[in-house]
Amino acid sequence: MAQKPSIPKGTRDFSPAETAGRNYIFDTIRSVFRTYGYVQIETPAMENLSTLLGKYGEEGDRLLFRILNSGDAFSGIDFDSYCIDKRTNSYDSRALSAKVCEKGLRYDLTVPFARYVVQHQSELSFPFRRCQIQPVWRADRPQKGRYREFYQCDADVIGSDSLLNELELVQIVDRVFGLLGISVSIRINNRKVLTGLAEIAGFPDKVVDMTVAIDKIEKTGLEAVEAEMREKGLSEEAIKVIEPVLLLSGSTREKIACMRTMMGGGSASGIVSETGLKGLDELDELFGLISAASVSQEVVLDLSLARGLNYYTGAIFEVKANDFQIGSICGGGRYDNLTGIFGLPGMSGVGISFGADRIYDVLKGLDLFPESIAESSRILFANMGDRELRYLLPVVKSLRDAGVACEIYHEHSKLKKQFDYAAKKSIPFISIVGEDEISRGEVNVKNLTTGEQKSFAASDIEHLISFVCR
Amino acid sequence: MAQKPSIPKGTRDFSPAETAGRNYIFDTIRSVFRTYGYVQIETPAMENLSTLLGKYGEEGDRLLFRILNSGDAFSGIDFDSYCIDKRTNSYDSRALSAKVCEKGLRYDLTVPFARYVVQHQSELSFPFRRCQIQPVWRADRPQKGRYREFYQCDADVIGSDSLLNELELVQIVDRVFGLLGISVSIRINNRKVLTGLAEIAGFPDKVVDMTVAIDKIEKTGLEAVEAEMREKGLSEEAIKVIEPVLLLSGSTREKIACMRTMMGGGSASGIVSETGLKGLDELDELFGLISAASVSQEVVLDLSLARGLNYYTGAIFEVKANDFQIGSICGGGRYDNLTGIFGLPGMSGVGISFGADRIYDVLKGLDLFPESIAESSRILFANMGDRELRYLLPVVKSLRDAGVACEIYHEHSKLKKQFDYAAKKSIPFISIVGEDEISRGEVNVKNLTTGEQKSFAASDIEHLISFVCR
């Protein structure tokens, strides 16, 4: 009996139009990465679970897709010893899955990259700039805009702490969204400044709680942020130190100057933070480089930007579309010890990740995809019979060799049917070559939009191409 | 403690040079597919096991990678009821894995394509030409040249039985290998002729045994093939009918004529095969179209070609490199009922699949990769300090915007170190801009291979580009 076909929840088929749109995004990003000396690598979809486990927190471990060991995965396992409650057949799932699964699907591109760098360090020259565009898998609860399989497009440079790298990532973002025609604002912060802020507030150990709270200011407002900080144990005095930072306005230069005063001992607490001052130096230098490089898109210092990720140690980036509400479409930052877990300490790196799914939605929503990418074929050659077909074959081959996408209707049938096919597939030109054209050695072409019709010598492919491709 | 990083056996990391080589292959194939009106789709890595199981035979089912259900995969399972032998803790693995795994990794692109066509039939216009370039996974025993994760590059057209489709697939093969610079021979056969051969031999039910034996003639020779047929139960009389076909020589036209006599009752058995005659008509028409379309690579009729696959019903293709021993690098054929298993009967299709891994090995082995693809950056700008850097930023940006891959050395350090970096990464040009150049408004560039050196006005990017990209 026939099965009703379906795909696992949270996964997607991509239609020809969607795939073309996605390729347009990937190709654009890849071409820009390349001009900045980033070279592409690929890593396997499956990694050893020992590589993945413990790298994404408890939640991440739970969301890994695990691959059942091949062969006889269950033999020799004493299931009773994993049983928690015999009546309900409850088992210690974590221990049992570790027993029957040794591999998992990659959860992001960063951990496989760290693993790659350590494993291949002798083959690489540092600083090593790599880009990687591959799918990742997460067993998240599927919901609108969240999928269990999605692509990440990452660029990271490892083995250099120069802020030139940060500048170049900003330039890459600038160029990619410039080419895609999306107006964005690039928000920048520095993790050291957030650390400094926690220090001058007198709660150096609460930097994570503080940044998690601050990160929400755009969504929930000042009062809710302060309430959350209180809840997390920050004192009223601490909040008094932090509040002016949240309300800071003015130019980037002014913001940095004001923060410098505070970090230098000028806040309500009078505490000096060397880390905070170092972060401000970095921001100062980076913004100086950005103006020297004449970045086109808006770049702003946003001291509330935290991006939740604990492993950033310097710059933090986030990019939002100005004309489309969808959250962050690109983000990243500097981390100081990514490869340490795999035995290669002291490698500083900085990277960004483009969110292809959201970028797709922005391009679609703002109607920014170039028209040409959705097109399957530029011209349909009607099939008028065997003799006509043989006459056309070399003509069509020349067009294809020149890169023009063509179709010959697959069988000799009524012209109406062939026209309908062209219309349904939005093929913009049709050619109907019959006995007359053959006797004159010609090929005629009709523009199906304007109705314009032209004849070309079968040997004059060049003019035919400029007619159908102009 | 640091882990020694590794990847699962049978999987691979692809270095920048390998990824560039593979992209070159994929891009070439994709660009040719496109000119023939093939549109690209993508399907999820994970399919429901119900979609995959039973489609690849018993062996295939065993080689599927299964994904452990997310959440608590084991709760509520009564393991005792799956136990075969309590002393050795042996379990019914097949039944148990069906219980804890609902999804599997795709095993090829053909079954997901069939599933896609049925699921999305209302959105498609037929004939539907699709290409798909994605990895597949098989839990095969890893060995040289056989991997557990590898890419397939498929093109299939479904919903048309016109032989024009077969011709176009031959043209695609011709063009792809022409562009890659690989000399190939394209071997063609027709499954109906093989069926006819079994019929006139008097063993119509032994067509599979017969073709499996015949398929080995190049490797093992005539005697071994005949011995295998005898072993499979074919009579001496049958072998007498088959033998002349295996020894057939001459032009394609002569071979077809000779086979036509045999299928028409002129063989030792005197049996007539209508199916065989139909297959010969198809071959005749296809070879006629091929000569009308002036295919450049060698195309031969090979009546021993069987390709083991049971689902082919018409044309069978196989492509081998002429100057490199590696087996088939591309193959395919016509199938008549691919979508029937998913409830859409009567759709005839024909497709080919390019073997990217083997094509990579051929290009590498024959040194056919273009030099440019291995290159990371075209030019390295030395870092001579902050002032020089700021002077260079707009120059470098213009080069990058024009598509030239550039790097600025990440930090101000000894020139020797910077030159070494360029050498190690095979960057062919270096630019060292100091105070003199800045005062003259110039940028100087040195070709590291020839030693040639030139200066350009910082505003004259065009001439700089033609110097570094010629």
Side-chain angles (χ1 to χ4, degrees):
Chain A
M1 208 191 69
Q3 306 165 337
K4 191 170 174 288
S6 66
I7 50 178
K9 63 180 178 184
T11 69
R12 292 167 290 174
D13 283 327
F14 294 108
S15 72
E18 287 162 344
T19 306
R22 289 163 59 86
N23 282 345
Y24 167 69
I25 295 169
F26 297 141
D27 290 346
T28 302
I29 294 172
R30 182 172 17 221
S31 73
V32 176
F33 283 161
R34 196 188 62 79
T35 61
Y36 283 80
Y38 283 76
V39 289
Q40 195 177 353
I41 65 162
E42 294 201 340
T43 62
M46 296 187 268
E47 294 273 355
N48 292 321
L49 276 174
S50 57
T51 300
L52 301 176
L53 285 169
K55 310 304 188 296
Y56 307 105
E58 196 133 328
E59 170 80 351
D61 284 357
R62 231 175 29 77
L63 299 184
L64 291 173
F65 278 111
R66 289 151 198 257
I67 315 248
L68 194 68
N69 293 341
S70 29
D72 188 354
F74 303 99
S75 263
I77 297 179
D78 178 10
F79 285 97
D80 288 346
S81 67
Y82 295 91
C83 193
I84 295 167
D85 183 344
K86 193 62 197 168
R87 278 171 314 144
T88 58
N89 283 317
S90 293
Y91 290 87
D92 179 350
S93 258
R94 188 189 298 217
L96 206 43
S97 65
K99 197 81 189 166
V100 298
C101 300
E102 278 166 10
K103 297 180 286 291
L105 293 179
R106 83 182 145 239
Y107 182 87
D108 72 358
L109 302 178
T110 309
V111 167
F113 171 56
R115 195 263 312 142
Y116 179 94
V117 168
V118 177
Q119 195 174 330
H120 301 277
Q121 52 186 294
S122 64
E123 307 149 32
L124 307 176
S125 359
F126 294 96
F128 177 55
R129 292 181 180 81
R130 88 85 173 76
C131 66
Q132 194 170 351
I133 301 180
Q134 290 191 280
V136 302
W137 294 269
R138 297 181 185 180
D140 255 320
R141 209 164 56 83
Q143 57 188 75
K144 193 181 171 321
R146 186 186 287 171
Y147 302 100
R148 294 186 145 192
E149 172 180 57
F150 58 96
Y151 268 72
Q152 292 194 331
C153 313
D154 284 16
D156 290 83
V157 48
I158 196 157
S160 163
D161 54 13
S162 164
L163 289 171
L164 182 57
N165 300 303
E166 272 84 340
L167 167 68
E168 292 193 338
L169 292 176
V170 170
Q171 289 185 292
I172 286 173
V173 170
D174 183 42
R175 179 71 178 160
V176 165
F177 290 112
L179 286 173
L180 295 176
I182 301 176
S183 162
V184 297
S185 85
I186 305 168
R187 304 193 299 152
I188 297 181
N189 196 8
N190 190 299
R191 171 62 195 252
K192 295 190 182 76
V193 174
L194 294 171
T195 303
L197 193 56
E199 286 177 10
I200 63 172
F203 286 85
D205 55 329
K206 292 247 188 260
V207 60
V208 171
D209 286 337
M210 183 195 79
T211 54
V212 166
I214 287 181
D215 200 28
K216 296 176 188 152
I217 192 156
E218 237 177 68
K219 274 191 202 153
T220 62
L222 182 65
E223 271 181 47
V225 168
E226 296 193 348
E228 181 172 338
M229 289 197 288
R230 244 173 242 122
E231 204 176 291
K232 289 284 158 68
L234 275 82
S235 66
E236 289 306 318
E237 291 71 26
I239 291 170
K240 275 226 177 64
V241 172
I242 295 165
E243 192 182 69
V245 178
L246 303 179
L247 299 172
L248 215 56
S249 65
S251 70
T252 300
R253 193 177 292 263
E254 287 161 358
K255 283 181 184 169
I256 292 176
C258 178
M259 287 294 290
R260 203 180 284 284
T261 309
M262 290 176 65
M263 296 290 173
S267 78
S269 73
I271 300 171
V272 175
S273 165
E274 293 300 335
T275 305
L277 288 169
K278 176 82 173 39
L280 291 168
D281 287 344
E282 291 179 7
L283 282 174
D284 215 9
E285 189 182 338
L286 177 54
F287 275 94
L289 287 169
I290 288 168
S291 53
S294 60
V295 169
S296 309
Q297 305 261 12
E298 184 193 19
V299 187
V300 294
L301 171 60
D302 179 351
L303 293 163
S304 75
L305 179 65
R307 280 189 67 79
L309 282 163
N310 282 325
Y311 60 77
Y312 291 139
T313 52
I316 304 173
F317 306 109
E318 190 164 271
V319 182
K320 285 191 174 172
N322 291 328
D323 307 318
F324 198 81
Q325 283 282 9
I326 199 165
S328 159
I329 54 177
C330 176
R334 179 171 287 276
Y335 40 81
D336 269 347
N337 196 17
L338 188 67
T339 56
I341 34 170
F342 297 114
L344 184 65
M347 295 284 266
S348 187
V350 55
I352 49 166
S353 185
F354 287 87
D357 286 308
R358 286 186 174 178
I359 294 171
Y360 184 94
D361 289 345
V362 175
L363 289 172
K364 186 97 183 163
L366 298 176
D367 200 15
L368 290 172
F369 277 117
E371 258 179 56
S372 60
I373 64 159
E375 205 172 77
S376 58
S377 297
R378 197 72 198 149
I379 177 165
L380 176 71
F381 288 87
N383 193 328
M384 308 296 286
D386 197 49
R387 184 160 168 252
E388 290 82 355
L389 174 63
R390 279 159 203 256
Y391 173 79
L392 279 176
L393 283 174
V395 175
V396 179
K397 178 172 167 25
S398 301
L399 280 171
R400 286 168 168 163
D401 286 357
V404 181
C406 310
E407 284 178 56
I408 305 173
Y409 194 74
H410 66 118
E411 60 190 8
H412 181 197
S413 60
K414 279 185 189 157
L415 261 182
K416 163 97 175 59
K417 204 172 160 191
Q418 307 196 30
F419 268 96
D420 286 351
Y421 177 82
K424 199 167 173 199
K425 291 191 69 177
S426 310
I427 299 176
F429 290 87
I430 195 165
S431 168
I432 303 165
V433 167
E435 274 183 37
D436 286 359
E437 283 79 16
I438 297 183
S439 66
R440 288 197 302 268
E442 289 184 347
V443 177
N444 70 334
V445 180
K446 185 176 181 176
N447 183 324
L448 289 170
T449 318
T450 64
E452 190 185 358
Q453 213 162 333
K454 266 197 156 179
S455 285
F456 302 89
S459 55
D460 183 16
I461 296 299
E462 254 177 71
H463 283 93
L464 202 169
I465 291 179
S466 41
F467 182 63
V468 303
C469 293
R470 68 182 165 188
Chain B
M1 207 190 70
Q3 308 165 336
K4 191 170 175 288
S6 66
I7 51 177
K9 63 179 178 184
T11 69
R12 292 168 289 174
D13 283 327
F14 294 107
S15 72
E18 287 161 343
T19 305
R22 290 163 58 86
N23 283 345
Y24 167 68
I25 295 169
F26 297 141
D27 290 346
T28 302
I29 294 173
R30 185 174 12 225
S31 73
V32 176
F33 283 161
R34 196 188 61 81
T35 61
Y36 283 79
Y38 283 76
V39 289
Q40 196 177 353
I41 65 162
E42 293 200 342
T43 62
M46 297 186 269
E47 294 273 355
N48 292 320
L49 277 174
S50 57
T51 299
L52 302 175
L53 285 169
K55 310 304 188 297
Y56 308 104
E58 197 133 328
E59 170 81 350
D61 284 357
R62 230 175 30 77
L63 298 183
L64 290 173
F65 278 111
R66 290 151 197 257
I67 316 251
L68 193 68
N69 293 340
S70 27
D72 188 353
F74 303 100
S75 262
I77 297 179
D78 177 11
F79 285 97
D80 288 345
S81 68
Y82 295 91
C83 194
I84 294 167
D85 182 343
K86 193 64 198 166
R87 278 171 314 144
T88 58
N89 282 318
S90 293
Y91 290 87
D92 179 349
S93 257
R94 189 190 296 217
L96 206 42
S97 65
K99 197 80 188 164
V100 298
C101 300
E102 279 166 10
K103 296 179 287 290
L105 294 178
R106 80 179 149 242
Y107 182 86
D108 72 358
L109 301 180
T110 308
V111 167
F113 171 55
R115 195 263 312 141
Y116 179 93
V117 167
V118 177
Q119 195 174 330
H120 301 277
Q121 51 186 294
S122 64
E123 306 149 32
L124 307 176
S125 357
F126 295 95
F128 177 54
R129 292 181 180 81
R130 89 85 174 76
C131 66
Q132 193 169 352
I133 301 180
Q134 290 191 280
V136 302
W137 294 269
R138 297 182 184 179
D140 255 320
R141 209 164 55 81
Q143 58 188 74
K144 192 180 172 322
R146 186 187 286 170
Y147 302 100
R148 293 186 146 193
E149 172 180 57
F150 58 96
Y151 268 72
Q152 292 193 332
C153 314
D154 284 16
D156 291 82
V157 48
I158 195 158
S160 162
D161 54 13
S162 164
L163 290 170
L164 182 57
N165 300 302
E166 272 85 339
L167 168 67
E168 291 192 340
L169 292 176
V170 169
Q171 289 185 292
I172 286 173
V173 169
D174 182 42
R175 179 70 178 161
V176 164
F177 290 112
L179 286 172
L180 295 176
I182 301 176
S183 161
V184 298
S185 85
I186 305 169
R187 304 193 299 153
I188 298 181
N189 196 7
N190 190 299
R191 172 63 195 251
K192 295 190 182 77
V193 174
L194 294 171
T195 303
L197 193 56
E199 285 177 11
I200 64 171
F203 286 83
D205 56 328
K206 292 246 188 260
V207 60
V208 171
D209 286 336
M210 183 194 79
T211 53
V212 166
I214 288 180
D215 199 29
K216 296 177 189 153
I217 192 155
E218 237 176 71
K219 274 191 203 153
T220 62
L222 182 66
E223 272 182 46
V225 168
E226 296 192 348
E228 182 174 336
M229 289 197 288
R230 245 173 241 122
E231 202 178 292
K232 289 286 160 67
L234 274 82
S235 66
E236 289 306 318
E237 291 72 26
I239 291 169
K240 276 225 177 64
V241 172
I242 295 165
E243 193 181 69
V245 179
L246 303 179
L247 299 171
L248 215 57
S249 65
S251 69
T252 299
R253 192 178 292 261
E254 287 161 357
K255 283 182 184 169
I256 291 176
C258 179
M259 287 294 289
R260 202 181 284 284
T261 309
M262 290 177 65
M263 295 290 173
S267 78
S269 72
I271 300 172
V272 175
S273 166
E274 292 300 335
T275 306
L277 288 169
K278 176 81 174 39
L280 291 168
D281 288 344
E282 291 178 8
L283 282 174
D284 214 10
E285 188 182 339
L286 177 55
F287 275 94
L289 286 170
I290 287 168
S291 53
S294 61
V295 168
S296 310
Q297 306 260 14
E298 184 192 18
V299 187
V300 294
L301 171 60
D302 179 351
L303 293 164
S304 75
L305 179 65
R307 280 190 68 77
L309 282 162
N310 282 326
Y311 60 76
Y312 291 138
T313 53
I316 304 172
F317 306 109
E318 190 164 89
V319 182
K320 285 191 173 171
N322 291 328
D323 308 318
F324 198 82
Q325 283 282 8
I326 199 165
S328 159
I329 55 177
C330 176
R334 178 171 287 277
Y335 40 81
D336 268 346
N337 196 18
L338 189 67
T339 55
I341 34 170
F342 297 115
L344 185 65
M347 294 285 267
S348 187
V350 55
I352 48 166
S353 186
F354 287 86
D357 285 308
R358 286 186 174 177
I359 294 171
Y360 184 95
D361 289 345
V362 174
L363 289 171
K364 186 97 182 162
L366 299 176
D367 200 15
L368 290 172
F369 277 117
E371 257 179 56
S372 60
I373 64 160
E375 205 173 78
S376 59
S377 296
R378 196 72 198 147
I379 178 164
L380 176 72
F381 288 87
N383 194 328
M384 308 297 286
D386 198 50
R387 183 158 167 255
E388 291 82 354
L389 175 64
R390 280 159 202 256
Y391 173 80
L392 280 176
L393 282 175
V395 174
V396 179
K397 177 172 166 28
S398 301
L399 280 172
R400 286 168 168 165
D401 286 356
V404 182
C406 310
E407 284 177 56
I408 305 173
Y409 195 73
H410 67 118
E411 60 189 9
H412 182 196
S413 61
K414 279 184 188 156
L415 260 182
K416 163 98 175 58
K417 205 171 159 191
Q418 306 198 30
F419 268 96
D420 286 351
Y421 177 83
K424 198 165 173 201
K425 291 191 69 177
S426 310
I427 299 176
F429 291 86
I430 196 164
S431 168
I432 303 165
V433 167
E435 274 183 38
D436 287 359
E437 283 77 17
I438 297 183
S439 67
R440 287 198 301 268
E442 288 184 348
V443 177
N444 69 336
V445 180
K446 185 177 181 177
N447 183 325
L448 288 170
T449 318
T450 65
E452 190 186 359
Q453 213 162 334
K454 266 197 156 179
S455 285
F456 302 89
S459 54
D460 183 16
I461 297 298
E462 254 177 70
H463 282 94
L464 203 168
I465 291 179
S466 43
F467 183 63
V468 302
C469 292
R470 68 181 166 190

